[in-house]
Structures are given as structure tokens and as C-alpha cells.
Amino acid sequence: MEGVGVDPVGILYGDIHPTVVNCSVSGKLRQGDYVRIKHHEDGWVLGKVDSIEAKTNLSIEKSYQIMEGNNVEIQQTISAQIVIIGFLDQRKVLQYPRTPFLAGTPVYFAEDEFISTTLNISAGKRGRAYVGLIYGHNIPFSIDINSMVQKHISVMAKTGGGKSYLTGVIIEELIKNDVTVVVIDPHGEYGSMKNKASESEDMKRFSIRPVSYSDRIITFTPDHGDEKLTFTLSQINVKELVSIMNLSDPKSYVLPLRKAIDAIRLSSKDYDFDDVIKELRRQDDSSLSQTLEKELSYLKSLNVLGKRGLRVDELVVKGKVSIIEMKGLPPDMQELIVQRLLYALFEARKKERIPPLLTVVEEAHNFAPQQGKAFSSKIMRTVASEGRKFGFGLLVVSQRPAKIDKNVLSQCGTQLILKVTNPNDLKAIGNSVEGLTSSSLDEIQRLPVGTALVASPELPIPLFIEVRPRETDDGGKNVRVVR
Ligand SMILES: Nc1ncnc2c1ncn2[C@@H]1O[C@H](COP(=O)(O)OP(=O)(O)OP(=O)(O)O)[C@@H](O)[C@H]1O
Ligand SMILES: [Mg+2]
């Protein structure tokens, strides 16, 4: 790899730090390119072009001369700033050189093999999720699955940026690795993963074939899924019940409802909405109870709360993906479902009644908002901070990083960021992702669909990747039409 027969693309010059160097550019070096530079003590070191600029001697005065048709001689030099990633020492640990490089040292393009081994990202191994190729290279990129389950993961992008598509890619990899998954799916986009994708030209480049995972996926919906999504009404307390009703003065309804439910409980532990309505009618027929009856009938029509809800071991099956489809349900009912579900899963996991699992929470800013409170806020925080002890991973997906509870977002070890343009969201990302340079933050605003930035403690610097095509049908494309 001495560079025999290979021309350097630049030479180190000016002030040189162990972690950042300046390079005069002679070849076709571009922003984001990986380079190798020989250090006089440590051998070949991997670096990445962080920014690049041309310096010219053309003054504004002289530019007017060009406008007037005169010939002006222009001198131009191109300078790149290179961030040093490091080299593998004898124990295969990534290290920075401890002394500066020598000025005048040539800089070469790094070969794929060198990039891949130095970054330690080889895909194909069991226990790793293959999510795409390093941007501009034919280097497979994978994420360690254990670290996803133990240290959580987030997928952020503006709306339409490709979050659900990428999340689908991750779920496919989890299926292949027999990881148990629960997906909280507010828009009903993930059920389509049962069907295989149609063949596309791009698949070859990524070594992907269409696959159907119909035998690995179970959908739960209030009406038409594989299984009926139901929760036990008697486990919802009166205050919660009243607060999901559409009432102008919720507090005044707590007492009459509690009275009715207490009366039912004297004779039976389980009850449904009809039982509550019947009891209310028996107790009194004030306008208060008529309003309550109307609201209870509405909640009944949502078909989610009943006499006996699903047991946790009916909801979670080892090595399978359970998709909780909540499409069409009002937001507060969705929050209540997420709260009940996460609580039940977390308790069951603590007692090891269910296998280690990863729970995907789409639209996470609704279920763990930074401002205000959702029913599910508390349990989301608990799972984010304590889940790792029990093998309960979270994958949070959101288009508003600035609006997710910081206590949840900051617990995510791996972060996948697609295109983001909102300044507040960029700020939130800048604050939560370590090692993000201002030029990467700038690039995030211009990412094409299908390119993501990955940051994780496993990686020496955040990397740009091209997301691999889906093996399964992508439900996102259908959802957009009807929304
Ligand atoms: N890597 C990719 N390759 C090809 N198409 C993609 C890729 N990523 C996303 N798309 C397409 O881009 C569109 C938007 O993607 P997706 O639904 O995943 O976005 P989203 O960020 O989840 O949006 P929303 O905020 O509305 O949920 C879809 O039509 C999807 O098929
Ligand atoms: Mg989406």
C-alpha cells in the first residue's frame, strides 16, 4: 500500500494537528472522501475530507476587468481540511497518532478494504444489521444488533425523508437475526413488510433480493389484523378514562364514573363498556351521566378496550415482529395504548416472561414530547433509561428531534439521521450527536432521500451511508397518497 503507481491527491502543509490537518489538493479530492496518510511513527492512518475550499488571488477589482473583456491571470489553490480518524494498533484498537504528521507528507485516496478494516464495520457477520453502503464506496455498513437492543437507537428526518423506509430495513435485519420486535405503528405502514418488494435495478449493487417475511410478522389491529388489538378496560383507571373523553369539564365526571365502576367491581372483576353504561343508567339519569354514556359509547366503538385484553405472551412471540397498528384511532387513545403496552412489556421483561426485544416507536415526539405530557411520557422515559438493564431496546423514530423528550433522545446510543432542515431540529441534533462537525451538520440539510448520517459510540466519526433497498414492500409509499 506504499502508493506505488498511485499518485498522491495532495500534500500536508501549514499548521498540523494530530486530529486535523490541512492538505493542498492536486488530484480530484472531494468533500467526504476518505484518505490515507503515512505517519512517520504509526504507519498508515485513515482520514476524511471534512471541508474543501479554493483560494484565489482574484480581487473584486480584477473581476471587473474580466467583465470588460480583459484577460486576467488567476492563480488558484485548493485546500482541504482533513479530519484524522486513526489507525489500528497491534491490538486492533483504533488510535490517533500522538505526534503531528510531518509537513510535506503525501495524501492518497484510501482503498475500500483499508476504510472497512480501520472502521471495523464489516457486514455479513451474524449479530450485525446490514443497513447500506458507505456513501460513495462499495463498503457494506452494519450496526451491532446487541448495541441497538442495549443502548437504543433513533431515526430522525424531516417528513418524507425516508425514516420509515430505513426503519423497515432495520426490522428486516432484526428478523434475519431472530430478534423479537414490537412495532408501534400509528399510520399502518409496516404490515406491508409481509410482502416482498418488487425487483429493482438498484438491488444488485447492494446484493439484495426481494423477500417476504409473512411468516415472521403478526399484525394487531382493533378490527382487521391477524389478531385483535384489545386491552383490558378494568386496568384503565377512572381518571385516565375520563381524560381520553371529549369533555369540557372532565373533573366533574370522575365521581359519577367512579361510583358506577366501584359498584360493578363489587360483583365482578372484569367489565366492558356496556356494563358501565348499564350501571350508570341504573344509578341516575342526570345530564352528567347522559354525556358520559355518549362518550363511553364512542370509546366502545373504537373497539380497543374490552373485558379481557391480550396477554403479554400473546402479544410478543419470540423471534417475531408484532405490529401494533393504530391507524384511525384518536391521539389520546394511541397514547393510552402505548402507555399500557410499554408498561406491560417492561414489567414482563423484568420478570423474564418475554424474550429480550426491541420496540420501535414511530412518531415518538407524540408519545414522549419534550413539552407537555402524554400518557406514555413516563414509561417512555423509564424504558429509555432502564431498558438496557433488562434487554429492552427502543428504536425511536421522529420528524421533530427538537420536540422529543431530551431524556429519551439522549439515551439513544446509535443515531441515524436523514435529511433535516428545520433549524431547531438541526440544533437538537447538533446537541445530541457527538463528533458532528459543522460541515456535516450543513450537509444534513442537503441529503438526498436514501442517504443517512450514522453516529454511534462504536464509530470514530459519524459516517454517511446510502441506505440499502428494502427486501420487503415499503408501506410508506402507499400511506402518503391517502394521508
Ligand atoms: N432508501 C430509499 N430508497 C428508495 N426510496 C426511498 C428510500 N427512502 C425513502 N424512500 C421513499 O421516499 C418516500 C418517503 O419515505 P418514508 O415514508 O420512509 O419517509 P418518512 O420520513 O417516514 O416520512 P413521514 O415523516 O411522512 O413518515 C417513500 O415514498 C419511500 O418509498
Ligand atoms: Mg414515516
Side-chain angles (χ1 to χ4, degrees), residues 396-412:
V396 298
V397 184
S398 172
Q399 68 258 30
R400 293 310 312 273
K403 295 202 167 172
I404 301 189
D405 185 347
K406 304 260 169 313
N407 294 298
V408 172
L409 199 56
S410 64
Q411 295 291 337
C412 295

Side-chain angles (χ1 to χ4, degrees), residues 189 198 473-481:
E189 315 174 70
S198 30
D473 191 28
D474 148 35
K477 60 176 191 280
N478 311 327
V479 169
R480 191 140 295 96
V481 184

Side-chain angles (χ1 to χ4, degrees), residues 45-61:
V45 176
L46 182 68
K48 189 176 177 221
V49 179
D50 187 51
S51 62
I52 196 157
E53 64 171 347
K55 292 190 168 131
T56 75
N57 66 345
L58 183 66
S59 63
I60 184 160
E61 291 81 10

